Amino acid sequence: MTVDKYLYQKISFFLINFMLVIGFTGVFLSLSGVSIFIEWFLGGSSMNFSLIFLFDSISCFFLSVVLCISANVVWYSKSYMATDPNANRFILLVVGFITSMAILIISPNILSILLGWDGLGLISYGLVIYYPSSKSSSAGMITVLSNRVGDVCILLSIGWFMSVGDFNFSIWALLSNTDFSIWVSFLVMLAAMTKSAQIPFSAWLPAAMAAPTPVSALVHSSTLVTAGVYLLIRFSFILGESCSAFLMFISIMTMFMSGVVAIFEYDFKKIIALSTLSQLGMMMFAISLGLFEVAFFHLLTHALFKALLFLCAGILIHGVGNTQDIRSFGSLSLNFPLVTVCMNLANLSLCGVPFLAGFYSKDLIVELACQYSWGIFILLMMFVCLSLTVLYSVRLTYLSFVSAYGGGSLVSVCETDYSLLAPVVILSFTSLMSGPVLSWLSFSCPTLIFLPTFLKWGALFFVVSSVVIMVSLQRLVYFYMWGTVKKFSGLMWFLPWLTGQWLTLNTLKNADQFLKIYDQGWLEFYSSKGISMGANSMSLFSLKFQHNSLKIHFLVFLVWLFMCLIYIL
Amino acid sequence: MWLSPALFLMLISILTSVCLVVSSPSLFISWVGLELNTLAFMPFLLSKKSKLASEASIKYFLTQTLASILILVGGLGLSIKLGAAPFHSWVLSVAEASGWLSIFTLLTIQKVNPLLILWMFCPLSMEFFYGVVLSSLVVGGLTGLTQTSIRSMLTFSSINHVGWLMTAISFGLGVGVYYFLIYLATLLCSIIIFHMFNVSHVNQLSLLNFKPSNQLLMFFALLSLGGLPPFLGFLPKWMVLQLTISYSMLLVAGVMVSMSLLVLFFYLRLMFSSFIMGGLSFTTFIKAPLPLPIFFILLFAMSGGGLALAYFL
């Protein structure tokens, strides 16, 4: 029970108002080309410390999208978490999360970005371990430790910024002869890769689906994972040639891997998580091509329809009795007509069907990528990943809405709860309209695409053919009998095991040896124990002259006297 | 004990000897003062009236006489009189056998005369002087590590302090007197505590049932003697150290600092047994607060008076 009956509605209303203010500010700023810096300045003569907030069109648009999604998610979670006894903790964590994200978005210097970044990592840990089960606990541990690696990279780059002089990277974007080395680019890129779950660090995103569904909608689809992309967009001046090449490879492989794994996956939320991962790879791909504004545009539209997808998934999961296995879904379009419509909108938008939101952003990236000359491998992989996206989306739609019902018989499968449906409807409106609206706002004139015919038709061809392939494959039973491929994909190409158990096992074995042999062994002998034994032995040596006999005292005196006389003479 | 008229006469004689040494223009009268000092101290050693005490007093007498002869011959006897290493072996034997007042006098007032003669007439050559100082510091620090009797620990710490004192007096009278006076005060605090509770051995400290506040005061007195800031005992050491470094005698400075660490260590070890094992039974504490003058002296050991003293010196 919450403290106030209308708490969720109040928070949601506040967020919507805030979003409208920021949204109109963003439109004004983008049309007039102005950026607003708000600065609080502390100190005077020797110490100068300032807290700066940057409001330019990028940050205002991103902030308004985040606030829109969070307003809808909070309204949705009013009824989703109504039966949960810890709902107070939930809403506190969500509000803290939104605050951290806001701090991250509006900060132009790396110290306050670190504040938001660390806050995001920590609060997402608190949200992932929300349910008290061992699965949630291990998922939370993977999440927070992967995010910690990114935190360390940002801390190291803070050290670098201290040597350059100013923490505000918006200043350095304007200068052309700054002193940044290749290491800062790599560190920032590595931090973005951990947050956005690219290939070495991609184990945490599917595992983090142990969180409640509103959390997945807010955190793991639109805000936390896009923080890495946003960081790279802000640091666009720093990414050089070699970093871009590395990032391109990593993002292509992430897209490919997540697409392949999603085809064989049976957990509903994990499929959506892997599709998020694939789209993140697409955004990183765009960044590595140098298309920062297009990547940002894709970030915004993707946030909106992915949040919509998660919310619909939540309604469906609630409907079939809280199971997430898609084998127990099926024929749900008969009972959830509105959710079916919205989810189809989201899925088609994800696939890049013409004139929905995803088409504007994703297709733009594809066509602009075809104009660069990076080689046949990159192009081919990009188109393959496009078709993989369509494949798993169609599979998802087919298995939830079209195929025969596979669940239990005593469930209440209906959609009458308006506070669950209204956010879904609102988000579907935005995902319909955000594509064209944001493209008119972000790009002052349409981009010129100049391509040969087969490349221009390439995207559409791959999409349509993948739809046909998957629909026909669903009718064939023995598609599911590829045992080895399923195992390989199901364990996510063994990446979580490699970066998790294998790594820690070997490291702990070595660490144990170090502890027993060096730290508690020879190092003790040479440093502390050795010194104390040496001091004791010297003390015992000097006690040998200390006998309680006067003769010996006088003998010692006379010996020394003799030696001094010899020395003097 | 010290109120008996005979011992009071001896105390006056000791003070007279100090005055003689200070105010004499020639070495011979100072030597007479040294002899008077030796003779007047003997009854203090004999005040305990045991066989051990008479043995100690004979050792003291013979050592000091030999030292006086050696002063006339060369400067060696001064180091013997001070109890500086490598001529320190007699101090332990004498200290083990005396009562607390005797040991206090032995370790402090008996050092005044040799130090004054050292300052006034400077008979020691530089290498010899450094040798004596360094070996005093090292012997005092190292040998004290394996001692278990509190008197021996105090002896070796005083040997260490003799090294500091000789360095101080070589920089000038003001520094030396300052160091000496503060050493006197802090040693007095510690010895008063040991005398009051009649502890002679490390084992005995844990058997006392102190209130923790009293234990803490005892701890502070010992820490002050060891030279830990912010206590009083740190100030003269700081002064001497700064002078040493500014005159670039870096080896001496290094040895001084490291050996002070060892001396402080065996004070700390002394108090550990009292903290961990002592005061176990909370009902039978020695409930009486420390008598007022002792309390005052202990507070003086903390830092206030030293600053005033430094101002005037």
Side-chain angles (χ1 to χ4, degrees):
Chain A
M1 295 307 289
T2 52
V3 291
D4 181 357
K5 191 159 173 282
Y6 294 106
L7 178 69
Y8 285 82
Q9 285 96 316
K10 284 181 187 171
I11 295 179
S12 181
F13 186 63
F14 167 72
L15 288 171
I16 289 190
N17 279 336
F18 201 25
M19 174 206 101
L20 285 173
V21 168
I22 299 283
F24 282 121
T25 316
V27 170
F28 168 69
L29 290 177
S30 81
L31 288 178
S32 66
V34 168
S35 302
I36 301 179
F37 277 82
I38 302 180
E39 180 174 0
W40 282 273
F41 188 73
L42 277 181
S45 52
S46 60
M47 181 188 87
N48 292 323
F49 183 73
S50 58
L51 174 67
I52 308 183
F53 289 142
L54 165 68
F55 289 98
D56 69 346
S57 62
I58 295 182
S59 62
C60 282
F61 281 147
F62 195 16
L63 190 57
S64 58
V65 164
V66 165
L67 289 171
C68 172
I69 297 176
S70 26
N72 286 319
V73 162
V74 168
W75 191 4
Y76 179 91
S77 61
K78 163 185 157 314
S79 129
Y80 197 86
M81 310 294 290
T83 56
D84 195 86
N86 292 320
N88 280 333
R89 175 160 60 107
F90 179 78
I91 194 65
L92 280 173
L93 284 169
V94 167
V95 167
F97 184 84
I98 299 169
T99 316
S100 304
M101 192 68 197
I103 291 177
L104 180 90
I105 294 173
I106 60 178
S107 42
N109 64 349
I110 191 142
L111 276 183
S112 30
I113 274 196
L114 183 70
L115 275 180
W117 190 276
D118 272 336
L120 285 180
L122 192 64
I123 296 186
S124 71
Y125 173 64
L127 284 169
V128 168
I129 60 167
Y130 183 76
Y131 292 129
S133 69
S134 66
K135 182 170 157 235
S136 300
S137 151
S138 40
M141 200 44 84
I142 300 179
T143 307
V144 76
L145 289 176
S146 308
N147 281 327
R148 253 348 246 170
V149 174
D151 292 348
V152 166
C153 296
I154 292 200
L155 282 170
L156 287 172
S157 61
I158 284 183
W160 205 278
F161 270 93
M162 247 182 0
S163 81
V164 174
D166 199 356
F167 288 123
N168 297 325
F169 46 78
S170 49
I171 311 287
W172 301 116
L174 301 170
L175 296 174
S176 58
N177 56 348
T178 48
D179 206 8
F180 288 112
S181 81
I182 194 86
W183 290 109
V184 188
S185 328
F186 263 110
L187 283 173
V188 167
M189 194 182 63
L190 209 61
M193 274 165 57
T194 62
K195 206 62 147 192
S196 302
Q198 301 300 301
I199 271 275
F201 312 105
S202 51
W204 69 268
L205 192 52
M209 293 299 122
T213 313
V215 169
S216 303
L218 178 60
V219 171
H220 299 122
S221 67
S222 32
T223 44
L224 179 70
V225 294
T226 55
V229 180
Y230 183 69
L231 188 77
L232 280 181
I233 291 174
R234 281 299 192 198
F235 275 85
S236 51
F237 61 98
I238 222 174
L239 287 176
E241 285 294 322
S242 49
C243 286
S244 300
F246 181 64
L247 190 62
M248 179 177 291
F249 179 68
I250 294 279
S251 56
I252 292 273
M253 292 317 293
T254 310
M255 275 205 287
F256 184 63
M257 181 215 44
S258 54
V260 168
V261 173
I263 296 181
F264 297 98
E265 183 62 56
Y266 284 112
D267 187 337
F268 198 92
K269 280 171 59 174
K270 277 209 172 75
I271 299 179
I272 309 183
L274 290 162
S275 88
T276 309
L277 193 54
S278 164
Q279 294 308 304
L280 283 173
M282 174 71 79
M283 285 180 232
M284 288 293 196
F285 177 65
I287 284 182
S288 67
L289 288 172
L291 310 165
F292 295 102
E293 297 89 13
V294 187
F296 182 65
F297 178 40
H298 188 54
L299 194 158
L300 295 179
T301 53
H302 167 260
L304 288 168
F305 59 70
K306 194 49 66 74
L308 170 64
L309 203 54
F310 267 109
L311 294 183
C312 299
I315 296 181
L316 293 180
I317 291 174
H318 249 21
V320 292
N322 278 331
T323 171
Q324 293 182 358
D325 198 336
I326 54 174
R327 288 170 288 203
S328 56
F329 287 27
S331 301
L332 290 177
S333 58
L334 300 173
N335 293 21
F336 291 100
L338 189 56
V339 173
T340 311
V341 166
C342 299
M343 192 153 162
N344 276 337
L345 263 176
N347 267 331
L348 292 174
S349 179
L350 178 63
C351 299
V353 161
F355 304 115
L356 290 175
F359 170 74
Y360 285 93
S361 52
K362 200 163 154 185
D363 217 49
L364 191 57
I365 294 180
V366 167
E367 289 178 352
L368 282 172
C370 293
Q371 283 192 304
Y372 286 77
S373 56
W374 279 95
I376 190 79
F377 175 70
I378 302 289
L379 272 184
L380 200 62
M381 288 297 278
M382 191 182 62
F383 283 123
V384 163
C385 299
L386 268 187
S387 62
L388 283 174
T389 308
V390 179
L391 283 175
Y392 61 69
S393 301
V394 169
R395 172 175 177 259
L396 190 64
T397 320
Y398 187 87
L399 280 176
S400 353
F401 297 127
V402 178
S403 72
Y405 184 62
S409 40
L410 200 63
V411 289
S412 150
V413 199
C414 60
E415 50 171 28
T416 52
D417 194 350
Y418 288 118
S419 94
L420 283 180
L421 285 178
V424 165
V425 169
I426 292 178
L427 276 180
S428 59
F429 267 122
T430 54
S431 77
L432 260 182
M433 298 192 303
S434 68
V437 168
L438 282 172
S439 81
W440 296 329
L441 282 174
S442 307
F443 306 114
S444 49
C445 56
T447 329
L448 175 65
I449 310 282
F450 190 69
L451 284 175
T453 322
F454 68 94
L455 280 178
K456 186 78 180 170
W457 282 104
L460 204 55
F461 167 73
F462 272 95
V463 165
V464 171
S465 60
S466 312
V467 171
V468 168
I469 288 175
M470 190 42 104
V471 170
S472 52
L473 271 179
Q474 291 298 322
R475 305 274 182 187
L476 298 172
V477 180
Y478 55 82
F479 171 68
Y480 291 100
M481 290 183 185
W482 293 1
T484 317
V485 179
K486 255 172 53 175
K487 188 171 176 186
F488 184 57
S489 298
L491 291 173
M492 246 181 88
W493 290 17
F494 305 120
L495 272 175
W497 181 80
L498 265 178
T499 56
Q501 286 104 308
W502 181 80
L503 196 65
T504 53
L505 179 67
N506 282 320
T507 316
L508 281 176
K509 272 200 270 188
N510 274 329
D512 186 48
Q513 273 205 324
F514 262 86
L515 184 72
K516 291 277 162 48
I517 297 178
Y518 296 113
D519 205 47
Q520 291 174 353
W522 288 108
L523 287 180
E524 277 282 324
F525 177 71
Y526 279 116
S527 61
S528 67
K529 257 309 185 210
I531 290 178
S532 82
M533 285 191 326
N536 273 340
S537 67
M538 280 197 275
S539 159
L540 288 173
F541 173 72
S542 85
L543 276 178
K544 286 187 182 137
F545 303 110
Q546 208 43 58
H547 290 278
N548 194 8
S549 147
L550 206 55
K551 189 169 79 170
I552 295 193
H553 297 166
F554 286 2
L555 269 177
V556 168
F557 296 164
L558 289 175
V559 163
W560 277 105
L561 182 64
F562 201 54
M563 282 181 4
C564 292
L565 284 175
I566 290 179
Y567 176 70
I568 290 174
L569 299 171
Chain B
M1 170 202 57
W2 62 287
L3 284 175
S4 76
L7 282 177
F8 198 57
L9 176 63
M10 295 304 130
L11 189 65
I12 301 283
S13 305
I14 290 180
L15 293 174
T16 315
S17 76
V18 173
C19 296
L20 259 183
V21 169
V22 162
S23 55
S24 70
S26 81
L27 184 55
F28 188 66
I29 304 294
S30 311
W31 187 83
V32 168
L34 276 177
E35 285 298 300
L36 180 60
N37 194 6
T38 308
L39 289 174
F41 185 61
M42 297 299 302
F44 281 96
L45 286 175
L46 286 167
S47 63
K48 215 170 143 192
K49 292 195 179 50
S50 66
K51 260 206 297 201
L52 194 58
S54 37
E55 181 186 330
S57 56
I58 290 194
K59 281 187 202 151
Y60 182 76
F61 177 65
L62 287 174
T63 316
Q64 298 284 313
T65 321
L66 176 70
S68 304
I69 296 172
L70 286 177
I71 289 179
L72 288 183
V73 171
L76 198 74
L78 279 176
S79 315
I80 299 178
K81 277 209 186 281
L82 275 176
F87 317 108
H88 60 280
S89 27
W90 61 272
V91 189
L92 185 63
S93 313
V94 177
E96 283 284 355
S98 10
W100 285 107
L101 180 65
S102 312
I103 201 175
F104 174 65
T105 322
L106 171 71
L107 295 179
T108 54
I109 303 186
Q110 298 300 101
K111 293 194 170 36
V112 180
N113 287 335
L115 278 175
L116 284 171
I117 293 186
L118 196 64
W119 171 69
M120 283 196 291
F121 299 108
C122 279
L124 302 173
S125 68
M126 270 302 117
E127 292 89 6
F128 185 69
F129 176 73
Y130 282 141
V132 168
V133 161
L134 281 174
S135 54
S136 299
L137 292 166
V138 168
V139 163
L142 283 178
T143 321
L145 280 180
T146 54
Q147 301 299 325
T148 52
S149 154
I150 294 186
R151 285 195 175 90
S152 335
M153 280 187 194
L154 281 177
T155 311
F156 285 107
S157 99
S158 93
I159 294 177
N160 196 8
H161 277 282
V162 160
W164 283 87
L165 270 171
M166 288 173 79
T167 321
I169 208 104
S170 79
F171 287 126
L173 188 63
V175 186
V177 169
Y178 185 61
Y179 196 106
F180 179 76
L181 286 175
I182 294 190
Y183 176 58
L184 190 96
T186 49
L187 192 66
L188 182 69
C189 294
S190 312
I191 284 186
I192 278 177
I193 291 175
F194 293 134
H195 178 55
M196 216 164 67
F197 299 111
N198 205 11
V199 288
S200 314
H201 198 270
V202 177
N203 287 345
Q204 291 176 342
L205 271 176
S206 58
L207 298 174
L208 301 168
N209 284 331
F210 280 147
K211 282 196 295 194
S213 51
N214 285 348
Q215 277 176 355
L216 205 61
L217 280 174
M218 193 155 59
F219 192 39
F220 286 164
L222 279 178
L223 284 181
S224 173
L225 184 58
L228 193 69
F231 296 108
L232 181 58
F234 175 63
L235 274 170
K237 287 203 166 140
W238 183 12
M239 219 187 260
V240 174
L241 198 62
Q242 191 149 3
L243 281 168
T244 322
I245 292 178
S246 67
Y247 278 84
S248 300
M249 297 163 32
L250 293 175
L251 174 68
V252 179
V255 171
M256 274 204 272
V257 168
S258 36
M259 292 304 145
S260 294
L261 195 67
L262 291 181
V263 169
L264 193 60
F265 169 69
F266 59 73
Y267 287 142
L268 280 172
R269 200 172 51 182
L270 192 63
M271 287 313 294
F272 276 169
S273 54
S274 141
F275 276 140
I276 293 173
M277 297 295 296
L280 270 184
S281 62
F282 289 93
T283 55
T284 61
F285 275 148
I286 297 180
K287 292 259 179 42
L290 296 176
L292 191 58
I294 298 169
F295 200 63
F296 183 71
I297 290 175
L298 278 171
L299 282 181
F300 181 77
M302 304 259 186
S303 358
L307 290 171
L309 209 55
Y311 178 69
F312 286 115
L313 281 177

